[in-house]
Amino acid sequence: QVQLVESGGGLVQPGGSLRLSCTASGSIFSFYAVDWYRQAPGKQRELVAFITRSGNTGYTEPAKGRFTISRDNAKNTVYLQMNSLNPDDSGVYYCKVTISGVTYWGQGTQVTVSS
């Protein structure tokens, strides 16, 4: 059973930064792609960024130029560095990994961007 735990969310002012972490219960991130999603109240969950097992990264439009996804295999952790945050970035952020057709989600971490 894979467990994912997100952390690092909080309240930040517009223009500020946060670094989210997604830590796995085992050494899996070097073998599987990891996605970061977010969900705002009343909206569907949307993909923000991903990192493949080879380390290639990709971002959806809201994240391009502001967010950076990275991975530390030794710590079993994937990070999402978020800069220049604005209120539209508020929501619950989740990490996801799919292993042998089974999708695992963390419990999410709340990000609130407000003055």
Side-chain angles (χ1 to χ4, degrees):
Q1 182 74 14
V2 174
Q3 291 185 324
L4 303 174
V5 178
E6 299 96 335
S7 62
L11 173 64
V12 63
Q13 291 188 341
S17 298
L18 283 174
R19 188 178 78 158
L20 307 183
S21 300
C22 170
T23 301
S25 53
S27 301
I28 62 171
F29 288 155
S30 58
F31 301 104
Y32 301 96
V34 178
D35 303 326
W36 276 101
Y37 280 75
R38 69 184 182 189
Q39 187 167 23
K43 294 187 177 181
Q44 288 189 330
R45 196 170 294 190
E46 63 174 355
L47 177 67
V48 174
F50 65 86
I51 184 166
T52 68
R53 65 177 185 176
S54 60
N56 295 319
T57 60
Y59 304 89
T60 56
E61 200 59 41
K64 286 180 180 178
R66 300 187 299 128
F67 294 4
T68 303
I69 188 171
S70 61
R71 185 178 67 207
D72 187 333
N73 292 337
K75 295 183 178 180
N76 300 327
T77 300
V78 171
Y79 302 99
L80 186 68
Q81 176 68 42
M82 306 188 297
N83 300 325
S84 302
L85 288 163
N86 60 66
D88 290 340
D89 295 316
S90 297
V92 180
Y93 283 69
Y94 301 89
C95 59
K96 186 198 83 172
V97 63
T98 300
I99 300 173
S100 300
V102 179
T103 297
Y104 300 90
W105 294 89
Q107 83 292 345
T109 185
Q110 177 71 47
V111 171
T112 302
V113 184
S114 175
S115 55

